[in-house]
Amino acid sequence: MPPLARSTLDRAAHRRTDQRWLAEAWLRARVLMVDVAGGGRALVEDSGTRTELILLGPDAARESAPEDRLFLGVEPDGVPVFAVDAPLPQIAGTRAANLRETGHLLADRDAGLLTTALALANWHARHLYSSQTGLATVVGDGGWSRRDEAGNPLWPRTDPAMIVLVHDGVSGPDGRCLLGNNAAWRSTRGVRRYSCLAGYVEPGESAEDAVVREVTEEVGLVPGHIRYVASQAWPFPGSLMLGFSALGDPARALRLDPAEIAHADWFSRRDITAVLDGEVVQVGDGLRLALPPASSIALFLIRRWVDGIR
């Protein structure tokens, strides 16, 4: 399962319009504070090999207005959970961390809470005004809608994006996969990062068609045998990553779109395994190969391929 596709929370959607229940629930709630302006960070505590999300009592967010409290759901023990977008307090023994760097280290419960809270808070931060009327909007439905002054509703949206691990279908250490280095990524500290090819699904397009279009546009290769694998939210600021695998022919020359892809190459399962084991693999220009962050579905797809799962 992808690292950010885990959750134990009951979203209890039927409670979102019950203002009386929400007011009572706040008094006994656990509160997750996320700082969108500060990079989408939340407080965590490191305990041995575990990283745990810090949830506070409602008094810690007492300055928040009721309409700014985002109701996330109800935990298995019956305690409601809210999120508040605000600067993080200083608490001894904790640190501020973002989802990219800690998502894979969190337990299922914490990963689901932080992913949902960040996705919802990011949506609110980007929809202070209605795109229909230009009027200012306010929060409604426990944080799951906004309305402008004329009463027109807005609902949270997620942007679908496809991401694909293209490989040659060969088993064993000599099998190869195609990875790209995005033109927007800078090579720093002696490394060049490569990842799966990805892109947004366009209006009127299926996810599978987006896989073919994006791979063809970015590297000039037409993939085949496209298979859906899994999905996960990627709230930076609000995407749903639809993960696929596909076959490609390494014998065909790559034609890169320089506006999108700076470098692309086929890497053997042997080389990818070495990098995952902490070894150095050179990619030219005196740089070593780096893979996507551990919280990404890209690394999930790569690890799955390394393990021989098609």
Side-chain angles (χ1 to χ4, degrees), residues 218-251:
E218 292 186 351
V219 297
L221 181 72
V222 180
H225 298 279
I226 298 166
R227 295 182 180 180
Y228 172 76
V229 176
S231 67
Q232 77 166 23
W234 193 242
F236 306 106
S239 297
L240 175 65
M241 304 303 299
L242 306 171
F244 292 85
S245 68
L247 291 181
D249 184 0

Side-chain angles (χ1 to χ4, degrees), residues 19-275:
Q19 295 302 315
R20 179 178 296 180
W21 186 91
L22 290 172
E24 182 276 331
W26 173 259
L27 300 178
R28 57 188 178 88
R30 298 183 180 116
V31 180
L32 172 59
M33 302 189 73
V34 293
D35 186 0
V36 169
R41 300 183 302 167
L43 291 179
V44 299
E45 180 180 28
D46 298 313
S47 177
T49 59
R50 296 187 303 170
T51 297
E52 297 180 352
L53 200 60
I54 300 299
L55 274 71
L56 308 173
D59 287 347
R62 58 183 176 273
E63 296 182 3
S64 66
E67 61 268 20
D68 294 331
R69 300 164 186 169
L70 311 179
F71 172 61
L72 301 184
V74 178
E75 298 228 62
D77 62 2
V79 177
V81 182
F82 288 77
V84 173
D85 178 8
L88 303 180
Q90 297 289 328
I91 300 178
T94 69
R95 63 182 177 89
N98 64 45
L99 187 62
R100 291 178 189 266
E101 63 191 40
T102 61
H104 63 293
L105 301 174
L106 300 173
D108 292 358
R109 174 255 199 180
D110 288 357
L113 285 176
L114 185 51
T115 301
T116 302
L118 185 58
L120 198 53
N122 275 333
W123 179 78
H124 281 287
R126 292 182 293 126
H127 290 81
L128 301 179
Y129 296 89
S130 170
S131 60
Q132 281 185 300
T133 64
L135 297 173
T137 61
V138 295
V139 180
D141 297 329
W144 290 90
S145 72
R146 298 187 73 90
R147 292 182 182 275
D148 66 14
E149 298 167 10
N152 298 301
L154 290 78
W155 310 101
R157 291 290 184 266
T158 297
D159 298 322
M162 73 83 209
I163 183 166
V164 60
L165 193 284
V166 179
H167 62 93
D168 61 3
V170 175
S171 60
D174 293 325
R176 290 184 287 176
C177 70
L178 175 63
L179 301 177
N181 168 255
N182 192 287
W185 298 343
R186 294 183 178 180
S187 300
T188 59
R189 291 179 290 185
V191 303
R192 177 182 293 153
R193 178 158 55 99
Y194 284 79
S195 185
C196 302
L197 301 179
Y200 286 106
V201 179
E202 293 187 344
E205 185 177 48
S206 71
E208 291 80 2
D209 284 345
V211 170
V212 175
R213 177 182 54 77
E214 286 285 351
V215 174
T216 304
E217 289 177 354
E218 292 186 351
V219 297
L221 181 72
V222 180
H225 298 279
I226 298 166
R227 295 182 180 180
Y228 172 76
V229 176
S231 67
Q232 77 166 23
W234 193 242
F236 306 106
S239 297
L240 175 65
M241 304 303 299
L242 306 171
F244 292 85
S245 68
L247 291 181
D249 184 0
R252 292 188 174 275
L254 300 177
R255 299 188 307 276
L256 308 188
D257 176 1
E260 294 284 343
I261 303 295
H263 306 272
D265 207 345
W266 291 89
F267 295 92
S268 71
R269 190 175 276 108
R270 181 183 294 103
D271 284 341
I272 298 298
T273 300
V275 174

Side-chain angles (χ1 to χ4, degrees), residues 165 177 179 194 267-281 288-296 298-308:
L165 193 284
C177 70
L179 301 177
Y194 284 79
F267 295 92
S268 71
R269 190 175 276 108
R270 181 183 294 103
D271 284 341
I272 298 298
T273 300
V275 174
L276 292 173
D277 290 340
E279 300 176 23
V280 174
V281 173
R288 57 187 175 87
L289 171 62
L291 296 176
S295 292
S296 67
L299 192 64
F300 169 81
L301 294 173
I302 291 171
R303 287 185 180 276
R304 186 175 178 275
W305 171 78
V306 165
D307 292 338

